[in-house]
């Protein structure tokens, strides 16, 4: 029976091994996409079908959306999306046969929905893109004659383009998703082992390892989206990812803080600590070997730490909390590794694969309610009407297709680093190239294979030599040539078509700045404030829960913040990297990116604290601690930052790390010295100290973020460039 990590040797791999060379993934993709473009033109032209360019545009859209792996299921889903789009589009035409304005109003509202889903969907968005484009392409420029035949032709050619791309993708260098998953899992396991071994190393080394950990976790999550051919089901795969996430959580906590004074004498407090540490290292190594060589993992028995209670009592409360939390996290890490090892052994067993999956959080396929996605949908709606007004007033060559392209491609330019000004530059190069082809090459093509080779070369240049984010705009030059069975060479019309494309690109350029600013520094500041707002809402939920003052509004804001926190951090990193520091000479790009990395760690810790607060809100010791807590809350400070305040504007109490640690230690001593711990279970006591230690780590991460903010002086980013 095949396993998820079994690697298949394709015919090309065997052949390339003999020839001592192999093609890169990018080159393979470029060849496949270019061949699909050529076939999407040649087959319809050879059969005398109309709308060949529609099939080619479909191939271009699918390839430009970044799809690499292909399957029959993907092709079927894209075809289904196209049919749904055609049904909606032609139904609207049937409802408003004589009233073009009502049709356009209805279409503009409905088409915004799938284009919003393109932004919100975490998987392959080409399905929703094709749905939206088909809705618009079945419209025959407001004409009433043969509109349904026209719509059916458009739909048929769109589906034909999908099938061409699918067949080429499935049979020419098919992507083996299992191999990718296996490699990603192996890399993540190796990074985890290294981080565990270096958990007490220097801060710089730990930060590098943590960055690699988050990066590889994300890669593994992405790779599992296409494991439909694996011998275990998706629920089991998600359960393994859940184990990996838990392991990463414990490793993050173990490596987050600097080495404590008692670290060198841990065996004094926990005699069997060394055994626990060695077994964890062996489990990490065994899991790596299991992914690499399919070796069976030797799984040790459960181990329980042996606490020397009297000696632990001599530690301060913060040190005691840190020690107990470290050991508890080590024990939980050990158990999580044992669970993952049992699943891997099941996968590699000759018997049918089976293991029970834990109750895991639902895997979200859509990111609902993202503010930029909602703004983007509004911008798309505005672009639709601006392009429609242009089409009605000017009636350019290509007709309503200009509206469809401007509306659909707005997804690629709204709230993304792709600047329309750069796209205009790219299209200019394409225009020069297309003009040369139109004058020198096309008139001299006499055979079908020559035309096919020409389309292949043009497409290959676009896919292989142009930045992938701008490929589609260079490839638009191919569609200005008007390739059809009967060619009419009129340079005036050709220039008019080019002018039309320029005008639609100018629409995208105008609405890149209107009605919302998309300057990187503006969006970075906006993401920073939202990041602090999300963390504040999440901590407020835990605070209100412990105080028994929960409300549906607090819970709603906290749930929204939990869903969007990490995506906000990722967007903050994206725009920080795009900030042009030549306009802000006091901003150091490396420190700016370092701040966003620290923000990612802080967000990770806040998420851990949020979930643990929810799990342990009924712990009597934590309730006592919260009830008697008299110091300012961290959420209050985060609320100040969420309003856009700078570090210099907040209370001096929040800036003095030593003072805060001292005051917190004193406060803890006063609260805990009045508690009779003999009345509570060991579990409740351990959870109390885990809670204290986790809050300490959250504080330490925030201190580092504050130091970076102070060095950066982020207020300069609010200034105008001009």
């Amino acid at each position: 029976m095949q396993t998820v990590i079994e690697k298949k040797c394709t015919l090309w791999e065997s052949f390339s091994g003999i020839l001592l060379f192999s093609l890169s993934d990018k080159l393979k993709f470029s060849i496949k996409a270019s061949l699909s473009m050529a076939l999407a033109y040649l087959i319809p032209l050879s059969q005398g079908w109309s709308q060949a360019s529609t099939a080619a545009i479909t191939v271009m859209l699918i390839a430009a959306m970044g799809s690499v792996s292909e399957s029959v299921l993907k092709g079927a889903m894209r075809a289904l999306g196209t049919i749904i789009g055609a049904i909606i589009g032609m139904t609207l035409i049937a409802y408003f046969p004589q009233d073009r304005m009502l049709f356009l109003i209805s279409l503009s509202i409905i088409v915004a929905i799938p284009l919003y889903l393109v932004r919100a969907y975490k998987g392959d968005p080409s399905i929703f893109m094709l749905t939206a484009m088909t809705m618009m392409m079945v419209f025959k420029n407001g004409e009433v004659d043969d509109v349904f035949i026209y719509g059916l032709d458009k739909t048929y050619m769109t589906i034909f383009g999908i099938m061409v791309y699918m067949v080429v993708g499935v049979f020419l260098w098919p992507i083996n998703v299992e191999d990718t998953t296996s490699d990603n899992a192996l890399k993540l396991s190796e990074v985890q082992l290294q981080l565990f071994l270096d958990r007490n190393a220097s801060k710089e080394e730990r930060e590098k390892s943590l960055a690699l950990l988050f990066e590889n976790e994300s890669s593994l999550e992405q790779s599992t989206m296409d494991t439909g051919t694996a011998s275990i089901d998706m629920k089991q795969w998600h359960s393994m990812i859940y184990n990996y996430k838990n392991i990463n959580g414990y490793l993050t906590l173990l490596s987050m803080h600097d080495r404590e004074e008692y670290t060198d004498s841990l065996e004094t407090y926990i005699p069997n600590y060394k055994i626990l540490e060695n077994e964890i290292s062996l489990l990490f190594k065994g899991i790596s070997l299991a992914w690499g060589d399919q070796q069976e993992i030797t799984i040790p028995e459960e181990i329980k730490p042996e606490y020397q209670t009297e000696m632990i009592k001599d530690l301060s409360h913060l040190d005691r909390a840190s020690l107990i939390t470290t050991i508890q996290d080590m024990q939980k890490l050990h158990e999580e590794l044992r669970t993952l090892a049992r699943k891997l052994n099941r996968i590699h067993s000759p018997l049918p694969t089976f293991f029970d999956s834990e109750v895991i959080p639902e895997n979200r396929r859509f990111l609902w309610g993202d503010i930029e996605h909602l703004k983007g949908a509004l911008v798309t709606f505005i672009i639709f009407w601006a392009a429609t007004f242009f089409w009605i007033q000017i009636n350019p060559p290509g007709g309503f297709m200009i509206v469809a392209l401007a509306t659909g491609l707005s997804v690629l330019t709204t709230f993304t680093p792709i600047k329309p000004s750069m796209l205009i530059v790219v299209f200019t190069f394409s225009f020069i190239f297309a003009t040369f082809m139109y004058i020198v090459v096309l008139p001299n093509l006499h055979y079908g294979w020559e035309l096919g080779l020409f389309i292949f070369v043009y497409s290959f240049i676009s896919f292989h030599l142009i930045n992938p984010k701008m490929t589609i705009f260079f490839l638009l030059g191919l569609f200005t040539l008007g390739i059809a069975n009967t060619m009419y060479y009129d340079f005036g019309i050709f220039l008019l078509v080019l002018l039309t494309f320029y005008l639609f690109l100018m629409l995208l350029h105008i609405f890149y700045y209107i009605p919302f600013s998309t300057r990187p520094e503006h969006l970075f500041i906006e993401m920073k404030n939202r990041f602090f707002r999300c963390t504040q809402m999440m901590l407020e939920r835990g605070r209100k829960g412990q105080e028994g003052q929960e409300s549906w509004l607090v819970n709603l804001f906290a749930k929204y913040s939990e869903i969007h926190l990490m995506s906000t951090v990722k967007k903050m990193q994206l725009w920080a990297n795009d900030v042009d520091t030549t306009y802000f000479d006091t901003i150091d790009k490396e420190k700016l990116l370092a701040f966003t990395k620290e923000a990612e760690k802080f967000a990770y810790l806040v998420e851990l604290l949020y979930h643990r607060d929810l799990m342990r809100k009924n712990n009597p010791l934590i309730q006592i601690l919260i009830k008697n807590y008299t110091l300012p809350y961290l959420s209050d400070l985060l609320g100040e930052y969420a309003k856009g305040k700078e570090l210099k504007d907040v209370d001096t109490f929040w800036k003095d790390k030593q003072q805060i640690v001292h005051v917190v230690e004193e406060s803890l001593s006063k609260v805990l010295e009045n508690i009779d711990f003999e009345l509570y279970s060991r579990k409740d006591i351990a959870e109390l100290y885990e809670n204290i230690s986790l809050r300490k780590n959250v504080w330490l991460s925030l201190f580092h973020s504050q130091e970076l903010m102070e060095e950066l002086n982020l207020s300069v980013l609010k200034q105008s460039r001009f």
Side-chain angles (χ1 to χ4, degrees):
M1 184 175 181
Q2 291 181 349
T3 69
V4 291
I5 65 167
E6 181 179 353
K7 297 188 177 182
K8 300 176 183 178
C9 185
T10 64
L11 179 63
W12 172 259
E13 287 172 340
S14 303
F15 185 66
S16 62
I18 298 173
L19 296 179
L20 302 179
F21 75 91
S22 61
L23 303 181
S24 67
D25 290 339
K26 182 179 180 180
L27 185 57
K28 289 178 182 177
F29 172 75
S30 301
I31 292 173
K32 289 197 293 185
S34 303
L35 180 60
S36 300
M37 287 287 294
L39 292 176
Y41 263 117
L42 290 182
I43 295 176
L45 291 178
S46 67
Q47 299 301 311
W49 299 340
S50 61
Q51 310 293 345
S53 61
T54 300
I57 287 174
T58 302
V59 171
M60 176 188 72
L61 288 174
I62 296 174
M65 296 307 287
S67 181
V68 178
S69 62
E70 286 303 308
S71 66
V72 175
L73 178 61
K74 272 191 176 183
M77 292 302 294
R78 287 173 183 147
L80 178 62
T82 299
I83 293 171
I84 291 172
I87 291 173
I88 295 173
M90 288 191 283
T91 300
L92 290 175
I93 293 172
Y95 264 105
F96 310 107
Q98 301 296 331
D99 198 327
R100 185 169 63 177
M101 189 54 63
L102 282 178
F103 168 81
L104 292 172
I105 291 172
S106 303
L107 180 64
S108 64
I109 295 172
I110 295 174
V111 83
I113 297 173
L115 290 180
Y116 168 76
L117 296 178
V118 169
R119 297 175 170 92
Y121 189 53
K122 296 182 179 180
D124 176 16
S126 60
I127 299 168
F128 303 108
M129 173 65 85
L130 290 170
T131 302
M133 293 299 291
T134 308
M135 282 187 208
M136 293 182 283
M137 287 194 296
V138 296
F139 181 57
K140 193 181 179 183
N141 299 321
E143 300 176 18
V144 295
D145 295 333
D146 300 324
V147 288
F148 287 103
I149 298 299
Y150 177 84
L152 287 174
D153 282 345
K154 283 281 188 178
T155 305
Y156 172 73
M157 293 310 298
T158 301
I159 294 175
F160 177 76
I162 294 170
M163 295 299 106
V164 167
Y165 192 82
M166 180 198 72
V167 170
V168 172
V170 168
F171 291 101
L172 183 62
W173 298 306
I175 303 295
N176 192 332
V177 176
E178 292 103 317
D179 288 349
T180 304
T181 304
S182 169
D183 291 342
N184 288 337
L186 176 59
K187 289 177 184 176
L188 179 56
S189 299
E190 291 173 346
V191 170
Q192 287 175 333
L193 172 60
Q194 193 59 47
L195 180 58
F196 178 74
L197 296 176
D198 296 340
R199 64 191 184 280
N200 291 321
S202 67
K203 185 174 183 178
E204 291 74 18
E205 291 176 348
R206 283 181 281 131
E207 286 180 348
K208 288 180 182 177
S209 297
L210 280 171
L212 280 175
L213 187 75
F214 296 143
E215 180 183 330
N216 281 277
E217 178 185 307
S218 177
S219 297
L220 185 60
E221 281 189 276
Q222 293 297 322
S223 66
T224 59
M225 289 183 180
D226 296 310
T227 53
T229 58
S231 63
I232 63 174
D233 59 40
M234 290 300 294
K235 184 178 179 181
Q236 291 174 321
W237 254 118
H238 287 170
S239 77
M240 295 181 72
I241 299 304
Y242 180 69
N243 296 137
Y244 266 112
K245 283 190 168 185
N246 287 339
I247 291 168
N248 289 348
Y250 297 131
L251 285 173
T252 301
L253 291 174
L254 288 169
S255 59
M256 188 62 67
H257 51 74
D258 293 329
R259 191 181 184 89
E260 304 283 0
E261 293 181 3
Y262 56 78
T263 306
D264 292 327
S265 55
L266 277 172
E267 290 179 89
T268 305
Y269 303 101
I270 316 292
N272 61 343
Y273 171 79
K274 207 66 180 177
I275 298 173
L276 177 62
E277 184 181 44
N278 290 336
E279 286 190 0
I280 290 174
S281 297
L282 290 173
L283 280 168
F284 272 125
K285 292 175 183 176
I287 289 171
S288 294
L289 290 173
W291 282 117
D293 302 325
Q294 301 186 31
Q295 292 187 16
E296 184 176 357
I297 305 168
T298 302
I299 303 175
E301 296 295 324
E302 181 183 2
I303 186 169
K304 294 185 178 180
E306 301 168 358
Y307 292 99
Q308 296 295 317
T309 309
E310 295 302 320
M311 298 195 68
I312 292 175
K313 285 182 179 178
D314 295 335
L315 295 172
S316 68
H317 287 295
L318 286 179
D319 284 347
R320 192 185 308 174
S322 182
L323 171 65
I324 292 176
T325 302
T326 297
I327 302 305
Q328 291 286 326
D329 288 339
M330 291 278 284
Q331 184 183 11
K332 292 173 184 176
L333 176 61
H334 183 267
E335 182 57 36
E336 204 70 39
L337 288 167
R338 290 175 68 244
T339 302
L340 181 59
R342 282 195 294 269
K343 293 177 181 180
L344 280 171
N345 283 347
R346 283 285 189 178
I347 291 175
H348 298 152
S349 169
L351 300 175
T353 300
F354 175 80
F355 54 78
D356 293 327
S357 299
E358 305 91 333
V359 178
I360 61 176
E362 183 181 356
N363 187 38
R364 298 188 183 97
R365 303 290 286 181
F366 292 90
L367 184 64
W368 300 114
D370 183 90
I371 295 175
E372 275 64 49
H373 294 167
L374 294 171
K375 288 180 179 178
L378 177 59
V379 172
T380 294
F381 179 83
I382 295 172
I383 288 176
F384 176 95
W385 279 104
T388 298
F389 178 80
F390 169 70
W391 162 63
I392 292 173
Q393 296 298 320
I394 307 299
N395 192 24
F400 195 75
M401 179 58 72
I402 299 302
V403 180
L405 285 174
T407 304
L409 296 182
S410 67
V411 173
L412 302 178
T413 60
T414 52
F415 294 102
T416 71
I418 302 177
K419 295 181 179 180
S421 55
M422 286 300 302
L423 299 182
I424 293 174
V425 173
V426 171
F427 185 71
T428 300
F429 284 113
S430 177
F431 152 68
I432 296 171
F433 185 72
T435 302
F436 180 77
M437 296 295 107
Y438 192 78
I439 297 173
V440 177
V441 177
L442 274 181
N444 297 308
L445 300 181
H446 304 289
Y447 302 101
W449 68 267
E450 294 177 326
L451 178 62
L453 181 60
F454 167 75
I455 296 171
F456 179 88
V457 172
Y458 199 119
S459 303
F460 183 82
I461 292 172
S462 304
F463 286 112
H464 196 67
L465 301 182
I466 306 300
N467 186 312
K469 296 178 180 178
M470 301 181 181
T471 293
I472 192 170
F473 295 93
F474 186 86
L475 199 55
L476 285 175
L478 181 64
F479 298 101
T480 64
L481 301 177
I483 296 174
N485 269 325
T486 304
M487 293 285 292
Y488 295 96
Y489 290 96
D490 188 323
F491 196 63
I493 294 177
F494 172 69
L495 291 178
L496 186 59
V497 171
L498 285 175
L499 176 62
T500 302
F501 274 88
Y502 268 114
L503 291 175
F504 114 71
L505 284 172
M506 284 302 298
L507 280 176
L508 295 182
H509 182 70
I510 291 170
F511 291 105
Y512 186 73
Y513 300 99
I514 300 173
F516 306 107
S517 173
T518 52
R519 289 186 296 117
E521 59 272 17
H522 170 80
L523 288 172
F524 170 78
I525 292 295
E526 195 170 320
M527 294 305 112
K528 177 186 74 73
N529 295 341
R530 190 182 304 164
F531 159 72
F532 283 119
R533 178 65 66 195
C534 287
T535 52
Q536 181 210 14
M537 293 294 181
M538 293 173 69
L539 293 182
E540 275 292 291
R541 166 75 184 274
R543 169 185 171 182
K544 297 294 185 183
Q546 297 292 352
E547 295 175 348
Q549 299 178 7
E550 284 183 277
S551 68
W552 68 269
L553 193 60
V554 169
N555 293 344
L556 178 64
F557 284 150
K559 188 64 178 176
Y560 178 88
S561 298
E562 179 203 359
I563 294 171
H564 292 274
L565 177 59
M566 277 302 175
S567 66
T568 300
V569 172
K570 296 299 181 184
K571 286 191 285 187
M572 184 166 62
Q573 292 173 346
L574 171 70
W575 294 113
N577 190 58
D578 212 45
V579 169
D580 188 349
T581 53
T582 58
Y583 290 101
F584 312 100
D585 52 6
T586 59
I587 293 290
D588 185 288
K589 178 65 75 69
E590 290 186 5
K591 289 183 179 179
L592 191 64
L593 294 175
F595 167 73
T596 63
K597 289 295 182 183
E598 188 62 37
E600 184 176 10
K601 288 195 293 183
F602 181 70
Y604 198 90
L605 288 171
V606 169
E607 282 192 341
L608 287 174
L609 181 58
Y610 170 77
H611 289 295
R612 293 195 181 184
D613 276 349
L614 292 181
M615 292 167 53
R616 296 165 183 174
K617 64 180 181 180
N618 295 321
N619 183 301
L621 287 173
I622 296 178
Q623 289 177 344
I624 292 172
L625 182 63
I626 296 295
K627 183 178 180 181
N628 293 278
Y629 186 81
T630 58
L631 299 176
Y633 285 94
L634 179 59
S635 57
D636 295 334
L637 173 61
L638 297 176
E640 295 296 304
Y641 287 140
K643 295 174 184 176
K645 283 191 176 182
E646 301 296 324
L647 183 61
K648 60 183 176 61
D649 298 324
V650 301
D651 194 290
T652 55
F653 172 79
W654 302 108
K655 305 175 188 178
D656 193 333
K657 176 180 175 181
Q658 297 300 324
Q659 180 190 4
I660 291 178
V661 172
H662 177 71
V663 171
V664 169
E665 180 70 47
E666 280 190 347
S667 178
L668 282 174
S669 298
K670 289 178 182 178
V671 174
L672 299 180
E673 69 184 6
N674 296 321
I675 297 176
D676 185 0
F677 286 97
E678 299 295 331
L679 301 177
Y680 301 95
S681 67
R682 176 173 290 184
K683 177 177 176 293
D684 288 339
I685 296 171
E687 287 179 355
L688 170 68
Y689 282 115
E690 283 183 22
N691 187 273
I692 293 172
S693 181
L694 183 52
R695 291 181 185 278
K696 173 187 173 183
N697 285 330
V698 171
W699 272 101
L700 292 175
S701 180
L702 182 63
F703 284 141
H704 191 202
S705 298
Q706 287 187 148
E707 291 169 4
L708 290 169
M709 283 195 294
E710 191 170 25
E711 292 178 12
L712 284 167
N713 186 23
L714 295 175
S715 60
V716 299
L717 295 178
K718 300 176 184 178
Q719 300 173 3
S720 173
R721 294 182 183 181
F722 306 105

